[in-house]
């Protein structure tokens, strides 16, 4: 089923641009602690993926009570990071390459250069690697979970999604849960013509996939009670929009970044998988590609401008601008602490994570920055 969405009038298409990067040196290793029940240190924890092409790693940071980060360890994934041709400050050109299941105490990390997924047990601010397994496709870039189901988005060879079932602390791939996206495997450049993100809907009944310029569409796979996806998705066409990253606001609406017009567009997702646009706001920035939600606020990352664009979500779903906040060069993936007090954003040009306090009015105050070892061009961040 295909739904064609009428574009809002007056929207121009811009090209996303940012500085080119190169692979970073390998990170050092830290030994995981012995298995025990997840325990969160006072303040919390932030995990950052390096996407290092020699040896991919996840770096663990303790989040202090004032929101600043302090490195605790560097944990090898057992795989390699990858770099899409033409990629800029984000080598994966995706959102959600790292996913944290707080309830189960598990962390999922994709290894794009190895076509694998790593499963970690989380012990406070330390990680124990449990499993590394193939993703059933080429160049995994995004991972999502709901309950005991895990799905991975593979970016190359036309794009595909692959589902897994978790039993305890082990994953098993389900062959019948593999679906191709049917994108052109030879389209160039890769970083704009590959899919951008996969995520469950909040109720776990559907999977949402963005295809960026590969198809300029948002694909919704409905799942039956056993978790099996429909043979084909419901496709909402967004001509020229280049839908990239997305999140769900507190009312369950889909908030999508569009790298074509550099905008954030709000959609209502219906039970049948169709989408209705509520409205679109232009950021006025360059390379608007990533987005994170907290309470009734959204923050979109603009890689080409080195800024975050903040928005308040009104009760009807439309967005009110809160202003732009400068970051270090190459603003990419971001995460908000579980208490909503702090926002952390990766800046790929130099492999930094910028630390911000989220004020009551939605404005951001910078409180520090850390350099992630081996993470120039890296992507993937989660916070507790």
């Amino acid at each position: 089923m295909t739904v064609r969405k009428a574009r809002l009038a007056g929207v121009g298409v811009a090209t996303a641009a940012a500085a080119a990067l190169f692979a970073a040196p390998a990170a050092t290793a830290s030994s995981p602690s012995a298995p025990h029940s997840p325990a969160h240190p006072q303040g919390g924890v932030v995990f950052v993926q390096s996407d290092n092409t020699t040896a991919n790693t996840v770096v663990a940071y303790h989040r202090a009570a004032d929101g600043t980060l302090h490195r605790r360890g560097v944990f090898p994934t057992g795989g390699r990071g990858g770099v899409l041709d033409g990629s800029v400050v984000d080598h994966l050109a995706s959102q959600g390459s790292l996913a944290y299941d707080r309830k189960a105490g598990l962390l999922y990390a994709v290894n794009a250069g190895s076509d694998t997924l790593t499963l970690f047990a989380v012990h406070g601010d330390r990680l124990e690697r449990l499993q590394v397994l193939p993703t059933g496709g080429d160049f995994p870039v995004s991972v999502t979970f709901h309950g005991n189901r895990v799905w991975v988005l593979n970016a190359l060879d036309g794009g595909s999604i692959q589902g897994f079932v978790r039993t305890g602390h082990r994953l098993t791939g389900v062959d019948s849960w593999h679906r191709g996206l049917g994108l052109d495997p030879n389209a160039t450049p890769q970083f704009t013509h590959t899919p951008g993100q996969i995520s469950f809907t909040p109720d776990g009944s559907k999977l949402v996939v963005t295809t960026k310029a590969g198809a300029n569409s948002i694909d919704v796979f409905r799942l039956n009670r056993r978790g099996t996806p429909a043979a084909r998705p419901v496709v909402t066409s967004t001509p020229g929009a280049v839908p990239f990253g997305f999140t769900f606001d507190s009312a369950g609406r889909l908030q999508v970044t569009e790298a074509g017009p550099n905008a954030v567009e709000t959609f209502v997702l219906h039970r049948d998988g169709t989408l209705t646009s509520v409205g679109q706001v232009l950021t006025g920035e360059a390379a608007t590609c990533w987005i994170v939600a907290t309470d009734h606020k959204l923050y979109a990352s603009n890689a080409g401008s080195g800024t975050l664009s903040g928005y308040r979500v009104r009760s009807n779903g439309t967005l009110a601008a809160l202003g732009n906040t400068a970051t270090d060069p190459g603003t990419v993936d971001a995460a908000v602490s579980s208490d909503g007090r702090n926002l952390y954003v990766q800046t790929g040009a130099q492999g930094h994570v910028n630390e911000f306090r989220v004020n009551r009015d939605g404005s951001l105050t910078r409180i520090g920055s850390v350099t992630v070892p081996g993470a120039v061009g890296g992507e993937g961040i989660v916070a507790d």
Side-chain angles (χ1 to χ4, degrees):
M1 179 177 183
T2 299
V3 179
R4 296 196 177 276
K5 181 180 72 67
R7 304 299 301 152
L8 301 180
V11 176
V13 177
T15 301
L21 302 175
F22 300 92
T28 57
S30 289
S31 298
S33 58
H36 58 80
S37 299
H40 302 293
Q42 184 178 5
V45 64
V46 173
F47 297 111
V48 185
Q49 182 168 239
S50 70
D51 189 42
N52 190 280
T53 56
T54 301
N56 191 19
T57 57
V58 175
V59 185
Y61 292 89
H62 170 63
R63 176 171 60 86
D66 65 358
T68 57
L69 300 182
H70 305 273
R71 195 170 88 192
R72 288 292 186 260
V74 181
F75 302 92
T77 66
R80 300 185 307 277
V83 182
L84 289 171
D85 291 346
S87 62
V88 284
V89 289
D90 175 22
H91 288 165
L92 303 184
S94 69
Q95 180 167 303
S97 65
L98 201 61
Y100 179 30
D101 185 342
R102 296 178 180 87
K103 184 176 181 180
L106 297 171
L107 184 74
Y108 304 98
V110 300
N111 302 300
S114 301
D115 301 336
T116 58
L117 174 70
T118 298
L119 172 64
F120 289 103
V122 178
H123 305 299
D125 53 17
R126 302 188 69 80
L127 299 176
E128 176 193 6
R129 192 172 73 210
L130 301 177
Q131 193 177 10
V132 182
L133 67 167
T135 61
D138 190 357
F139 208 90
V141 295
S142 185
V143 58
T144 186
F145 65 89
H146 189 276
N148 70 336
R149 294 170 293 162
V150 177
W151 283 81
V152 173
L153 172 65
N154 298 297
L156 296 182
D157 196 27
S160 66
I161 63 173
Q162 175 63 56
F164 302 81
V165 171
R166 178 176 59 82
T167 304
H169 284 184
R170 301 289 294 180
L171 290 178
T172 302
V174 181
D175 290 344
S176 63
W177 287 5
H178 184 275
R179 297 289 183 271
L181 298 180
L183 304 178
D184 181 358
N186 299 313
T188 58
Q190 287 180 338
F191 88 97
T192 55
H193 288 78
T194 49
Q197 185 182 354
I198 187 172
S199 180
F200 276 100
T201 55
D203 66 359
S205 67
K206 303 174 186 67
L207 290 165
V208 180
V209 176
T210 49
T211 65
K212 298 186 348 231
N216 274 298
S217 68
I218 302 170
D219 297 357
V220 177
F221 289 86
R222 289 175 289 177
L223 306 173
N224 65 20
R225 292 183 179 180
R226 295 182 178 181
T228 303
R232 287 183 290 183
V234 177
V235 178
T236 297
S237 179
T238 59
V242 192
F244 193 114
F246 61 90
T247 189
F248 294 91
D249 64 25
S250 57
R253 291 175 291 251
L254 188 65
Q255 302 284 354
V256 183
T257 55
E258 297 175 336
N262 293 309
V264 178
E265 186 156 7
T266 306
F267 296 90
V268 172
L269 175 56
H270 302 290
R271 290 185 62 183
D272 63 357
T274 60
L275 298 175
T276 298
S277 176
V278 174
Q280 181 194 63
V281 294
L282 302 178
T283 65
E285 304 293 286
T288 303
C289 297
W290 297 265
I291 190 166
V292 65
T294 175
D295 191 21
H296 298 290
K297 299 180 287 293
L298 303 170
Y299 298 93
S301 297
N302 307 297
S305 302
T307 59
L308 292 162
S309 295
Y311 297 93
R312 178 173 57 84
V313 184
R314 301 186 181 101
S315 59
N316 64 358
T318 60
L319 305 182
L322 297 173
N324 296 322
T325 303
T327 70
D328 291 342
T331 319
V332 289
D333 218 350
V336 176
S337 59
S338 56
D339 59 13
R341 296 178 179 177
N342 296 104
L343 182 148
Y344 303 96
V345 59
Q346 290 174 283
T347 56
Q350 298 168 325
H352 294 168
V353 170
N354 293 171
E355 308 157 359
F356 293 91
R357 181 174 64 249
V358 180
N359 302 312
R360 288 189 177 183
D361 63 359
S363 63
L364 300 174
T365 300
R366 184 160 172 169
I367 58 175
S369 183
V370 294
T371 301
V372 182
V376 171
E379 184 272 335
I381 185 169
V382 293
D384 198 2

